[in-house]
Tab-separated table of all heavy atoms in Angstrom:
chain	number	residue	atom	x	y	z
A	118	GLU	N	-0.338	-34.077	87.003
A	118	GLU	CA	-1.381	-34.322	88.004
A	118	GLU	C	-0.793	-34.437	89.401
A	118	GLU	O	-1.289	-33.838	90.357
A	118	GLU	CB	-2.163	-35.587	87.643
A	118	GLU	CG	-3.385	-35.824	88.513
A	118	GLU	CD	-4.473	-34.788	88.304
A	118	GLU	OE1	-4.661	-34.343	87.172
A	118	GLU	OE2	-5.144	-34.435	89.302
A	119	GLU	N	0.281	-35.195	89.515
A	119	GLU	CA	0.931	-35.333	90.812
A	119	GLU	C	1.498	-33.993	91.280
A	119	GLU	O	1.433	-33.671	92.475
A	119	GLU	CB	2.057	-36.361	90.715
A	119	GLU	CG	1.565	-37.778	90.500
A	119	GLU	CD	2.700	-38.699	90.087
A	119	GLU	OE1	3.208	-38.539	88.963
A	119	GLU	OE2	3.072	-39.549	90.901
A	145	ARG	N	-7.561	-26.194	85.687
A	145	ARG	CA	-6.807	-27.444	85.582
A	145	ARG	C	-7.000	-28.089	84.214
A	145	ARG	O	-6.049	-28.542	83.583
A	145	ARG	CB	-7.277	-28.431	86.666
A	145	ARG	CG	-6.799	-28.101	88.053
A	145	ARG	CD	-7.576	-28.903	89.080
A	145	ARG	NE	-7.421	-30.334	88.871
A	145	ARG	CZ	-6.435	-31.070	89.391
A	145	ARG	NH1	-5.522	-30.480	90.144
A	145	ARG	NH2	-6.355	-32.360	89.180
A	150	PHE	N	-3.705	-29.011	81.571
A	150	PHE	CA	-3.676	-30.190	80.728
A	150	PHE	C	-3.996	-29.892	79.259
A	150	PHE	O	-3.598	-30.647	78.383
A	150	PHE	CB	-4.645	-31.252	81.260
A	150	PHE	CG	-4.274	-31.706	82.641
A	150	PHE	CD1	-5.032	-31.327	83.737
A	150	PHE	CD2	-3.148	-32.478	82.849
A	150	PHE	CE1	-4.676	-31.721	85.010
A	150	PHE	CE2	-2.786	-32.883	84.114
A	150	PHE	CZ	-3.549	-32.501	85.205
A	200	ASP	N	-0.530	-40.112	96.770
A	200	ASP	CA	-0.629	-41.512	96.359
A	200	ASP	C	-1.288	-41.579	94.990
A	200	ASP	O	-2.444	-41.213	94.832
A	200	ASP	CB	-1.468	-42.291	97.384
A	200	ASP	CG	-1.713	-43.734	96.954
A	200	ASP	OD1	-0.986	-44.209	96.071
A	200	ASP	OD2	-2.633	-44.361	97.502
A	201	MET	N	-0.526	-42.037	93.971
A	201	MET	CA	-1.057	-42.091	92.619
A	201	MET	C	-1.399	-43.512	92.191
A	201	MET	O	-1.535	-43.805	91.011
A	201	MET	CB	-0.041	-41.492	91.641
A	201	MET	CG	0.340	-40.052	91.932
A	201	MET	SD	-1.050	-38.916	91.981
A	201	MET	CE	-1.481	-38.848	90.256
A	202	SER	N	-1.544	-44.422	93.119
A	202	SER	CA	-1.914	-45.788	92.772
A	202	SER	C	-3.393	-45.851	92.391
A	202	SER	O	-4.177	-44.954	92.707
A	202	SER	CB	-1.636	-46.726	93.947
A	202	SER	OG	-2.389	-46.345	95.081
A	203	HIS	N	-3.761	-46.897	91.692
A	203	HIS	CA	-5.155	-47.138	91.293
A	203	HIS	C	-5.703	-46.073	90.362
A	203	HIS	O	-6.914	-45.861	90.263
A	203	HIS	CB	-6.074	-47.265	92.518
A	203	HIS	CG	-5.575	-48.232	93.548
A	203	HIS	ND1	-5.394	-49.572	93.270
A	203	HIS	CD2	-5.180	-48.055	94.825
A	203	HIS	CE1	-4.927	-50.184	94.355
A	203	HIS	NE2	-4.782	-49.284	95.301
A	204	GLY	N	-4.796	-45.342	89.657
A	204	GLY	CA	-5.259	-44.421	88.632
A	204	GLY	C	-5.801	-43.105	89.133
A	204	GLY	O	-6.370	-42.326	88.386
A	205	VAL	N	-5.657	-42.819	90.436
A	205	VAL	CA	-6.081	-41.528	90.963
A	205	VAL	C	-5.016	-41.027	91.920
A	205	VAL	O	-4.199	-41.779	92.441
A	205	VAL	CB	-7.432	-41.595	91.721
A	205	VAL	CG1	-8.544	-41.996	90.798
A	205	VAL	CG2	-7.343	-42.538	92.913
A	206	GLY	N	-5.004	-39.716	92.133
A	206	GLY	CA	-4.129	-39.139	93.139
A	206	GLY	C	-4.944	-38.812	94.372
A	206	GLY	O	-6.033	-38.260	94.267
A	213	TYR	N	-7.882	-36.997	92.914
A	213	TYR	CA	-7.525	-36.270	91.706
A	213	TYR	C	-7.449	-37.264	90.554
A	213	TYR	O	-6.733	-38.261	90.643
A	213	TYR	CB	-6.166	-35.587	91.867
A	213	TYR	CG	-6.120	-34.559	92.963
A	213	TYR	CD1	-5.814	-34.944	94.264
A	213	TYR	CD2	-6.408	-33.226	92.712
A	213	TYR	CE1	-5.778	-34.010	95.286
A	213	TYR	CE2	-6.385	-32.288	93.716
A	213	TYR	CZ	-6.066	-32.681	95.013
A	213	TYR	OH	-6.038	-31.768	96.018
A	214	ALA	N	-8.155	-36.982	89.458
A	214	ALA	CA	-8.128	-37.880	88.304
A	214	ALA	C	-6.770	-37.816	87.617
A	214	ALA	O	-6.133	-36.782	87.571
A	214	ALA	CB	-9.224	-37.500	87.317
A	215	VAL	N	-6.320	-38.936	87.083
A	215	VAL	CA	-5.037	-39.018	86.390
A	215	VAL	C	-5.286	-39.080	84.888
A	215	VAL	O	-6.116	-39.858	84.432
A	215	VAL	CB	-4.263	-40.279	86.834
A	215	VAL	CG1	-2.957	-40.392	86.074
A	215	VAL	CG2	-4.006	-40.224	88.327
A	216	PRO	N	-4.596	-38.253	84.078
A	216	PRO	CA	-4.773	-38.313	82.626
A	216	PRO	C	-4.434	-39.696	82.082
A	216	PRO	O	-3.603	-40.406	82.641
A	216	PRO	CB	-3.767	-37.267	82.118
A	216	PRO	CG	-3.479	-36.395	83.286
A	216	PRO	CD	-3.624	-37.253	84.491
A	217	ASN	N	-5.070	-40.081	80.997
A	217	ASN	CA	-4.840	-41.389	80.401
A	217	ASN	C	-3.613	-41.437	79.515
A	217	ASN	O	-3.170	-42.509	79.116
A	217	ASN	CB	-6.061	-41.817	79.574
A	217	ASN	CG	-7.275	-42.054	80.457
A	217	ASN	OD1	-7.133	-42.557	81.552
A	217	ASN	ND2	-8.446	-41.667	79.978
A	218	ASP	N	-3.052	-40.276	79.160
A	218	ASP	CA	-1.904	-40.248	78.266
A	218	ASP	C	-0.713	-40.944	78.918
A	218	ASP	O	-0.367	-40.631	80.055
A	218	ASP	CB	-1.507	-38.806	77.939
A	218	ASP	CG	-2.594	-38.089	77.168
A	218	ASP	OD1	-3.396	-38.770	76.503
A	218	ASP	OD2	-2.637	-36.854	77.244
A	220	ILE	N	3.129	-41.851	79.896
A	220	ILE	CA	4.349	-41.078	80.075
A	220	ILE	C	5.504	-41.875	79.495
A	220	ILE	O	5.747	-43.007	79.883
A	220	ILE	CB	4.604	-40.793	81.570
A	220	ILE	CG1	3.481	-39.924	82.129
A	220	ILE	CG2	5.949	-40.111	81.776
A	220	ILE	CD1	3.550	-39.735	83.617
Side-chain angles (χ1 to χ4, degrees):
E118 188 67 36
E119 291 167 291
R145 286 166 60 88
F150 299 108
D200 175 17
M201 301 303 289
S202 61
H203 310 299
V205 297
Y213 298 88
V215 178
N217 294 323
D218 296 336
I220 296 173

